[in-house]
Structure formats: C-alpha cells, structure tokens
Amino acid sequence: LFADVLRAHLLKEQPQQIPNLHLRASEWYEQNGWQRDAIRHALLAQDYDRATDLVEMTWPPLMNGYRPATWLGWVKELPQELVKNRPMLNVGCAWSFTHAGDLENAEAHLLDAERWLDTRSTNSVPQSTDLKSEMIVVNTEVVENLPRTMSNLRIYIPQSKGDVATAIKNGHYALNFIPEDAHFYRGVANLLIAFAYLTNGNLEQASEFLADSAQNFQMAENSFFQTLAIVISGDIDRIQGRLNEASSKYESALKLPISDNGFTLQEVAELYLSLSELCRERNNLQAAVEYLQQGQARLHKQALLPGREARWYATMARTKVAEGELNSALELLNEAEQVYKPDTF
C-alpha cells in the first residue's frame, strides 16, 4: 500500500522521471543478478533495446530457471522489428511456440532464424564472419548452439504435426550434424526421435533412443531431461508388461539429484505418477494412492509441461476403479477433462 501511495505521488508530481527511474532500477537489478526484475523495469522504461538484450541473455530459459511461457511472454512485449534480426530470439520463439502448439508461428520464426544461420551448409560452428552483418547476437556464449537447436526444431515441428516420417528423417540428420560431445543437444535429438517412434507405435526403437537420450543428458549433467527420458523408458517397459524392468528404471530416476528451481521437481512428480500406475498394476493400491499424493504435492509447485495435472486425475481415477469406487472415478475423469491440454513435448 505504501509503495502504491509513493507511485501515485510520483506520477502526479514528477511523471517525467518515471522512465529514468525504471531504467536505473533495471541496471541495479542486472548488476545484482536479478534478471527477471531487470527485464521488467527495462520494459516499463520502454527501453526496448536494453530489454531485448536482457531477454536474449536469459536463453535458454530452462537453464536459467525460467519457464518457457514466461520467456515467450517477454519476447511478445518487444517490438517485433527488434526481434526480426535476432536469430537467438527467433530460435527461442520457434521452440516456445512449438511447445505451446502454435506451429504456424513456430515455422515463421524458424525461417527468420534460418535466414541468418544455414544449419545445412556445414557441420562447423558459425563464426562471426559467417553471419550476415545485420544480425545481432548479444548472448555470444551460446550462439554456437543455435544450429544445433535449429536441427532439433526440424524434428520437433513435424513431430508436433504428426509427420512422423519427416521427424525421424530429420532426426537422423541432426544426429549426424550435432557433434558427439554436444551431449545436451544430442540428448534432445534422441528424445524427440524417441517420441516420433512412440507416435507410430515402434516401442523398441523408441526405447533405444530413450536410452541414448538419458545417457547424453547424464553426461550433460541435466537431471531434468534425464529424468524425463528414464521415466518414459520405464513407462514403455510397464506397458509391455516388464514390470521389474520398469520398477528398476523408476527407482534409478528417484536417485537423481533434484534441483531447487522446480523444473526437476516437475519430472519427479511425473515419476510418482508412473510409480503409482506400476503399483496399481501389481494390485498394491495403498502404495498407488500414496505415490499419487506425493506426485500431486509436487505438481502444484510448478506447472511446466502441458497435460501433467490431467494425468494425475486420470491415474487416480484408474485407482478408484480398481478399488470399486466408480462414482469417484467419474468425478476425477471430469476434472481431468477440464484441465487437459494436449502434450506437444
């Protein structure tokens, strides 16, 4: 309330000072490592050049503790003419829009990025002399990864469209293109190829690529995606009736380090759902409910990937059916329908 009163007095008595104060606040927050607030004040100051630089420096968002939706929201507040010649922002938008299911916008941004960097021309990392002079790159520490991200997008976008053949074809191209020691990007490529094989029902091929994905993410020290790959691999075992193998994978995933930014917690929530389904298939209904309760507690800490909350309700509904509580199961399925969002990743 006191802050609101001060802002009202400032707006009335010294409105011309407001942009400069926001700019000073943005600079202070940046110097002290508070990127989110630095971006917010730069936008409030309408210093869009500065805001654009700051947003670019937060890519990739998962590595910097932000949700993809938050990152995309910042980009949407920027003048699009500033975004146009920023390949890193365009690649980020392409990935974020694909993740959100907006494939038309994703394609448009990827094409803008490809105007600057041709990932098909060479396997080498582009140097500044290879880039068009109009291109602006501020986040130079990760610019070498843009071609690798773009190669993965050429798997992700057709996979999201249901074009499995193109996704698999582009996936094998990406694995030939991405260096062997670029473990994170090879992990992503393997994960996306696995999803493509899952889509057409080729579970054995999917399992092989999931194993390669988990291994690469382990070497990249990325517990978030490593957990995701292991859980999906365990789910395949469970679906095929290999319950002991599934249990072993789930237990190994539980031993992975959990980050404090909430993102790995989200995958742990997914892991608890899988453990619950495993217990239900073994008719250990009490343990199934306990795992669901633990998963629910973590699900509400962060909502990162779509569809997770709906899966919790559906899994609990199956448990209620096993217990003979059909009315409760129907209520849970109704809840699942209300919160369901199609998974794109």
Side-chain angles (χ1 to χ4, degrees), residues 55-68 71 74 88 91-92 95-96 139 141-143 145-146 149 184-185 222 225 263:
V55 171
E56 182 174 316
M57 291 302 295
T58 62
W59 176 260
L62 276 177
M63 302 300 187
N64 290 286
Y66 302 113
R67 301 184 192 181
W71 188 89
W74 289 331
M88 192 165 297
V91 168
W95 193 272
S96 300
N139 196 347
E141 289 187 5
V142 299
V143 67
N145 295 323
L146 284 186
T149 305
F184 174 78
Y185 296 93
N222 188 296
F225 282 113
F263 298 125

Side-chain angles (χ1 to χ4, degrees), residues 145-199:
N145 295 323
L146 284 186
R148 302 162 189 175
T149 305
M150 291 160 70
S151 293
N152 282 331
L153 275 166
R154 284 301 175 192
I155 316 170
Y156 194 10
I157 291 175
Q159 159 66 15
S160 299
K161 292 179 177 179
D163 186 353
V164 175
T166 300
I168 292 173
K169 176 184 175 182
N170 291 352
H172 287 288
Y173 167 82
L175 289 177
N176 288 330
F177 168 77
I178 300 171
E180 290 287 339
D181 60 351
H183 297 298
F184 174 78
Y185 296 93
R186 291 188 69 83
V188 171
N190 278 290
L191 187 62
L192 292 171
I193 296 170
F195 286 162
Y197 279 119
L198 278 173
T199 301

Side-chain angles (χ1 to χ4, degrees), residues 67 71 124 174 183 199 271 286 290 307 328 342:
R67 301 184 192 181
W71 188 89
S124 63
H183 297 298
T199 301
L271 175 54
Q286 181 178 351
E290 289 174 356
S328 296

